[in-house]
Amino acid sequence: MSDSLLDVRNLRMYFYGSSQVVRAVDDVSLSVREGEVVGIVGESGSGKTATALSLIRLLPPNARIVSGEILHKGKNLASLEETELRKIRGAEISMVFQDPMTFLDPLMKIGDQISESISLHQGKTSDLKVKVVDSLRAVSIPSPEKVLDYYPHQLSGGMKQRVLIAIALSCEPSLIIADEPTTALDVTVQGQILELLKTLVRKRRGLSLLLITHDLGVVAEMCDRVYVMYAGKIVEEADVSSLFKEPKHPYTQALLTAANSIYFVGREMVGIEGVVPDLTNPPSGCRFHPRCQYAMPICSEKEPILIDIGTSRAACWLYPKK
Amino acid sequence: MRILAPLLEVRAVKKYYPLGRGLLSISKRAVHAVDGVSLRLETGTTLGLVGESGSGKTTLGRIIVGLIHPTEGSVMFEGQEIFSLRGKEQFSLRTKMQIIFQNPEASLNPRKTVRHVLTQPFLLHRLATRSEADERAYHLLEQVKLTPPELYLDRYPHQLSGGQKQRVAIARAIALGPKLVVADEPVSSLDMSVKASVLKLMNEIQSNLGLSYFLISHDLYMTRSISKIVAVMYAGRIVELAETDELFRHPAHPYTQALLASTPVPDPAIARGVSRNVIGEPFSPIDPPDYCRFSSRCPYKQDKCLQRSPQLEEIRKDHWVECFFPL
């Protein structure tokens, strides 16, 4: 795909413990095109956050990108020097985290936290304050001139999340990675933040959004294209309407059935039996096979690869290879 | 004499937390966590209490099981005011009402095995010998579908998944055959696939044991799947109360409508068409205004809403709304 803004190929990122290796991201390939909202959906432990953090190499010391490429505008972020990467991180690709309370410095005024990021990447220009006010206005914070002098504790959760988005936007990035941006917020505030993110992507040319979430509702509302992750692997890729209309992978199907049984009346409640596997020692073959209702002998023997099924792609032995 | 009283009746309960407890502070300011709530719950049914953070729902839940004393008002359980009970009576009340907390990580002692957690209720209340209690624990695990039980009895909480931990917490809550279980966000820390199975389990337990749930949640849709009646709480007050179907079909309070419209539904065909009209954020719970508390966010507010506080009124049979201009 030539119009890809971000192209991730066969990425592997492992965590190294004292005696074990956690294969958190295991051969993941994905792409984000210009102006696109792409979702990575999965349950806790599926590796979706680990994938997001790997993309800008925001990783703890015991984590290592073992192999693969992260191509962004002609550069491979996986092998880029740290000094070079810093110019991209926060400027070209920025991040919005789940919990706004922990990602703002409680002792620093809002205005300073935003200008820090701008001056770091663009130098101390004379119109710095104007830029800061503009970025607050862009995320619909009322009376931005006043909010500049606030400390984080003077803002509500929703307002703090808006500030984080303002920081992420401040250097006019081409890609924002948002990791569960609304999970810590109340429903009505969540709606406002989702609305804001949607408007931003629509309005700003060249801005793409990679949205990490566990919530299929958020996916349905926000995303153009979706990757479903399970146990460190992508098991399905589809455009949003195909994903919900005709989920291909049994895991996607089971997730949707579970969500629908809660959200729509009159359906019998169905969960998925079993637990997410331990990634130090994942199941052989297809990692979902111990929980899969369609499991066949081959599923535990050989690992399925992603193949085209209509407009979707899924990694499952149910679908015959052409 | 037959008891005609409902299983649980909450009467005009208020809980205020005064601010500034310093020596020189004479401030009368207070956080109005719960501000005049009345509710009834019949045997064998589920009441879902829905509200966002800070609405006072958890405080109310804890008042109901007697963990917090209200500033005003009373809680009647089987016709008895629970805060008047002392000593033995108060202790035995615990066998009839129990609570499941949101986070099983925090509500299970990390140093105690599942066996310990599940035998303690019987031993504390002197209802069984140790070996009988062991057997009861075994059956409890079967009831919450942690089978075979011998696989789980000697595990510590860290050896269980989130869903399994919450099942242990449920088993502990139903151990002594309570009539009422207050469940405070029982599934919100769980993954979607696990959520559905835990809710299903709660439904099964209810039909097997005939107990009542007071289910606290921030998620209106989740509440629907399990509740007979839903109460919507906002800023310390109940703003709407109705049978579940009625509430979903004819939401009458602007806040209820906003909640329904704000929840992202897992279907792109529906989710994309939703328009939202709720702006802003709630008033501070410190000395809230003496007019409608939702007025700061209400798209339909009128002058009257800024002058007086509406009261809960029955707009249709069994459908109560606290709004001057119900929709």
Side-chain angles (χ1 to χ4, degrees), chain B residues 57-306:
Chain B
K57 56 188 193 304
T58 291
T59 307
L60 182 60
R62 291 186 182 194
I63 289 172
I64 285 171
V65 288
L67 291 175
I68 297 176
H69 277 254
T71 311
E72 268 178 46
S74 56
V75 175
M76 314 290 290
F77 184 77
E78 295 186 318
Q80 249 185 331
E81 154 64 88
I82 65 165
F83 294 101
S84 66
L85 299 178
R86 291 286 173 273
K88 247 185 167 171
E89 282 181 320
Q90 192 186 35
F91 189 61
S92 70
L93 180 71
R94 301 268 174 257
T95 64
K96 295 183 190 165
M97 48 161 69
Q98 278 294 322
I99 184 164
I100 302 167
F101 295 98
Q102 169 168 2
N103 186 357
E105 223 71 55
S107 71
L108 295 177
N109 187 335
R111 291 163 173 269
K112 302 291 182 192
T113 59
V114 170
R115 185 192 301 275
H116 180 91
V117 167
L118 296 183
T119 51
Q120 274 305 296
F122 301 106
L123 300 176
L124 281 174
H125 287 272
R126 298 175 196 276
L127 293 168
T129 64
R130 193 162 284 279
S131 67
E132 284 164 1
D134 255 16
E135 202 156 301
R136 305 281 272 279
Y138 188 95
H139 286 301
L140 282 170
L141 286 175
E142 282 179 336
Q143 268 179 289
V144 298
K145 311 253 153 60
L146 288 176
T147 48
E150 49 270 29
L151 205 63
Y152 297 95
L153 271 171
D154 294 308
R155 286 202 193 176
Y156 288 91
H158 77 268
Q159 296 168 307
L160 301 170
S161 72
Q164 290 169 342
K165 270 184 264 207
Q166 200 59 305
R167 282 168 194 263
V168 172
I170 292 172
R172 175 176 62 183
I174 62 169
L176 300 180
K179 296 188 170 168
L180 172 69
V181 170
V182 171
D184 189 355
E185 302 271 16
V187 298
S188 49
S189 68
L190 306 176
D191 274 321
M192 186 58 84
S193 61
V194 185
K195 246 180 218 181
S197 18
V198 171
L199 285 175
K200 189 176 170 194
L201 174 70
M202 286 179 66
N203 265 340
E204 277 173 24
I205 287 173
Q206 179 167 51
S207 44
N208 291 342
L209 304 182
L211 47 76
S212 302
Y213 289 125
F214 188 88
L215 178 77
I216 299 167
S217 173
H218 69 283
D219 186 339
L220 199 46
Y221 283 91
M222 195 279 280
T223 315
R224 169 163 67 172
S225 61
I226 180 168
S227 309
K228 181 163 180 265
I229 299 166
V230 175
V232 179
M233 195 165 181
Y234 187 81
R237 297 185 61 85
I238 303 293
V239 296
E240 186 159 4
L241 174 74
E243 289 214 349
T244 310
D245 283 349
E246 165 74 10
L247 188 98
F248 273 82
R249 225 171 280 150
H250 310 288
H253 196 284
Y255 178 62
T256 312
Q257 281 202 339
L259 274 184
L260 282 171
S262 298
T263 312
V265 179
D267 181 349
I270 303 174
R272 309 261 159 157
V274 169
S275 72
R276 302 201 175 82
N277 46 15
V278 167
I279 37 145
E281 287 167 32
F283 281 117
S284 158
I286 302 167
D287 296 336
D290 51 9
Y291 48 90
C292 175
R293 291 173 191 197
F294 188 60
S295 58
S296 61
R297 309 177 71 189
C298 184
Y300 312 106
K301 70 160 177 284
Q302 302 189 23
D303 291 346
K304 193 177 176 186
C305 309
L306 301 173

Side-chain angles (χ1 to χ4, degrees), chain A residues 292-309:
Chain A
C292 183
Q293 55 171 323
Y294 307 110
M296 307 173 282
I298 190 173
C299 302
S300 55
E301 289 157 11
K302 232 175 131 200
E303 192 184 318
I305 53 160
L306 280 169
I307 53 163
D308 291 339
I309 304 159

Side-chain angles (χ1 to χ4, degrees), chain A residues 107-120:
Chain A
L107 300 179
M108 201 170 168
K109 286 179 179 172
I110 298 298
D112 296 339
Q113 306 206 31
I114 300 175
S115 58
E116 187 184 37
S117 146
I118 300 177
S119 55
L120 189 69

Side-chain angles (χ1 to χ4, degrees), chain A residues 129-243:
Chain A
K129 196 174 169 187
V130 181
K131 280 185 180 163
V132 173
V133 172
D134 281 348
S135 60
L136 283 175
R137 198 167 283 135
V139 294
S140 312
I141 288 186
S143 42
E145 288 88 353
K146 246 167 75 188
V147 173
L148 286 185
D149 291 320
Y150 282 5
Y151 287 94
H153 78 268
Q154 291 170 287
L155 297 174
S156 67
M159 282 299 151
K160 278 189 215 139
Q161 196 58 296
R162 280 174 199 268
V163 170
L164 272 190
I165 296 173
I167 294 174
L169 275 175
S170 61
C171 295
E172 296 177 27
S174 53
L175 176 67
I176 292 183
I177 302 172
D179 187 4
E180 304 272 9
T182 58
T183 308
L185 305 174
D186 274 325
V187 190
T188 49
V189 180
Q190 158 169 296
Q192 294 167 8
I193 297 291
L194 292 179
E195 202 82 64
L196 170 69
L197 286 171
K198 233 192 304 188
T199 325
L200 286 171
V201 175
R202 215 180 295 134
K203 270 205 218 146
R204 300 211 168 190
R205 239 205 264 153
L207 178 63
S208 309
L209 180 65
L210 181 64
L211 187 67
I212 318 291
T213 181
H214 71 283
D215 187 336
L216 285 165
V218 172
V219 170
E221 172 152 346
M222 299 288 294
C223 299
D224 301 316
R225 213 152 44 77
V226 190
Y227 293 93
V228 181
M229 268 191 95
Y230 184 78
K233 299 215 170 257
I234 286 173
V235 296
E236 180 159 355
E237 177 202 344
D239 65 274
V240 73
S241 64
S242 308
L243 187 87

